[in-house]
Amino acid sequence: MDRPLPDLSSLRPQGGKRSTKRDRIVEVFLRQEGHVSADDLVERIRREASGIGRATVYRTLQWMVEAGVARKVDFGEGRSRYEASYRHPRHFHLICTTCHSSSEFLSSDVEALMEEIAAARNFAAAQSVVQIYGTCEACRTGAQASPLAGAATELVFARDALRMAIATERSGLEFYTRAAALTKDPRGRSVFEKLAGEEKEHLGTLERRYHDLVAGDPDLEGRPTFLFFKGAASGVFSEGTKKLRDGVDDEQALLIGIRCERGSHNFFKKYGERFEDSEGKQVFLEFADEERAHLDLLIREYRALRERQGASRPSRPAAAGAAIARPSRRRRAVRRR
């Protein structure tokens, strides 16, 4: 996959002068897929741009790591490797100690656990690295697995992001359909029906988008999973649907919907903002915006319902006046004496 390269001038350190050699090294590096060692990059630079020395390549690699253009990883081979950060989501690695191959993955559960541990120890984490060492399937059984690196990771990331959004949309559709059937207030019911309709429409759009993505790469469906989220945001709506089955009034149904949409919005926004620029990131942030719009609508309807309920009840002064106008039984009994 051809990737548009970033504006290299924006990556230079403040006050740093333009370096044609460094720009050339960065261009070559960003076109590579997977993980390359410093020696690998030196050989590729020599084939494409003679006159650039090994020391210049090494210094540029270090600069790219500090500038956030590259990540430095260690696969236990006795030498470091480098991978591009640009348009490549942050991830973890499964590393085979036999062939030294690596497979990438990301898990919100792992990240949440690391954040919980750091918070419990009052530790300000700057970087997290998860590497699982073992033996890959190819080395154990001889089976050839589809590689997952570089451009392939970007496609799989987009595929898995769409799968997550589709699962969440289906779960949301079930929730709003159920809420509309239970709600007695006509206005509240119309809001739930509107949201159910939007969820159905968005679901169709996401499914078509997924179909188009898979149609562009016949091997995409069979590639390993990159995003592991264990239900994630879709689980929020599943729990909400269970609570609706317990029997709730209109106000409670709106509150459950607000909690579901807030949880879904926060999840997709939080993880979308962590990723590098890519189609997967775009899917997450677009979905976060949709969930935010639904959240705002539910909050407005909840406030309107409370106002309607307040208007239909006698105010405290009126109720107090009515109580004064109607003496209690004890007072009436005293008067008859």
Side-chain angles (χ1 to χ4, degrees):
M1 175 185 290
D2 293 331
R3 305 181 187 183
L5 298 180
D7 178 7
L8 299 183
S9 63
S10 66
L11 301 177
R12 297 188 191 105
Q14 290 185 350
K17 296 182 180 180
R18 184 177 186 276
S19 168
T20 304
K21 290 183 178 180
R22 183 172 59 196
D23 288 355
R24 184 62 172 153
I25 294 169
V26 174
E27 288 176 3
V28 173
F29 173 76
L30 292 178
R31 287 203 306 270
Q32 310 307 311
E33 294 188 2
H35 310 86
V36 297
S37 68
D39 291 337
D40 293 335
L41 187 58
V42 168
E43 292 302 316
R44 295 178 190 186
I45 291 294
R46 284 177 175 171
R47 289 197 297 267
E48 296 192 30
S50 59
I52 299 179
R54 182 180 298 271
T56 303
V57 174
Y58 286 1
R59 285 196 301 269
T60 301
L61 272 173
Q62 183 59 35
W63 170 81
M64 284 193 289
V65 171
E66 294 172 355
V69 181
R71 300 187 192 94
K72 186 176 181 179
V73 292
D74 181 2
F75 292 160
E77 315 172 78
R79 60 175 179 172
S80 297
R81 290 184 177 270
Y82 300 84
E83 61 180 1
S85 298
Y86 178 71
R87 290 186 62 82
H88 196 57
R90 189 185 71 178
H91 52 271
F92 309 132
H93 294 95
L94 297 167
I95 301 169
C96 178
T97 55
T98 301
C99 65
H100 301 295
S101 65
S102 68
S103 180
E104 301 169 349
F105 73 96
L106 177 63
S107 168
S108 65
D109 300 306
V110 172
E111 288 207 349
L113 180 59
M114 291 191 295
E115 291 172 2
E116 180 184 344
I117 293 172
R121 299 290 181 89
N122 198 24
F123 183 79
Q127 182 182 10
S128 57
V129 177
V130 174
Q131 296 184 163
I132 302 175
Y133 292 87
T135 309
C136 69
E137 183 182 10
C139 289
R140 286 198 329 273
T141 66
Q144 293 299 316
S146 300
L148 184 56
T153 302
E154 186 175 328
L155 275 176
V156 172
F157 176 36
R159 179 202 67 183
D160 292 352
L162 283 169
R163 284 179 176 176
M164 282 191 59
I166 288 170
T168 304
E169 207 71 86
R170 286 174 178 162
S171 187
L173 174 58
E174 180 183 4
F175 173 83
Y176 287 118
T177 301
R178 176 71 176 172
L182 291 175
T183 302
K184 298 177 181 178
D185 176 60
R187 178 169 166 176
R189 183 167 57 251
S190 68
V191 169
F192 284 132
E193 289 172 347
K194 178 179 184 296
L195 289 173
E198 289 187 4
E199 297 283 350
K200 188 173 183 179
E201 181 180 350
H202 292 161
L203 177 59
T205 300
L206 288 168
E207 288 176 337
R208 288 191 296 272
R209 191 170 174 180
Y210 182 85
H211 178 269
D212 292 343
L213 180 71
V214 173
D217 183 350
D219 298 326
L220 186 57
E221 284 276 34
R223 293 189 186 276
T225 301
F226 175 72
L227 296 174
F228 291 90
F229 285 93
K230 212 172 181 178
S234 60
V236 173
F237 284 101
S238 296
E239 287 301 314
T241 303
K242 290 178 183 178
K243 291 179 180 178
L244 287 177
R245 290 173 183 155
D246 294 337
V248 295
D249 59 27
D250 295 354
E251 183 178 328
Q252 291 170 326
L254 285 168
L255 286 173
I256 293 171
I258 287 170
R259 284 194 292 270
C260 289
E261 290 290 358
R262 180 176 286 120
S264 182
H265 164 75
N266 289 342
F267 176 84
F268 281 99
K269 186 173 186 294
K270 173 183 177 181
Y271 281 95
E273 290 177 343
R274 290 184 177 185
F275 300 137
E276 304 295 337
D277 183 30
S278 62
E279 185 175 354
K281 177 188 182 78
Q282 184 179 353
V283 170
F284 270 59
L285 295 183
E286 285 176 0
F287 204 80
D289 289 342
E290 290 178 2
E291 302 296 76
R292 180 70 218 189
H294 289 177
L295 173 61
D296 291 342
L297 176 59
L298 288 171
I299 290 174
R300 288 195 300 271
E301 182 53 35
Y302 174 77
R303 290 171 177 169
L305 176 64
R306 292 297 302 269
E307 290 176 0
R308 294 196 300 275
Q309 290 174 338
S312 64
R313 297 170 183 158
S315 63
R316 286 184 179 274
I324 294 174
R326 293 191 301 273
S328 66
R329 290 182 181 179
R330 181 177 178 183
R331 289 177 62 187
R332 288 199 297 271
V334 170
R335 288 178 183 174
R336 282 197 293 268
R337 289 177 183 172

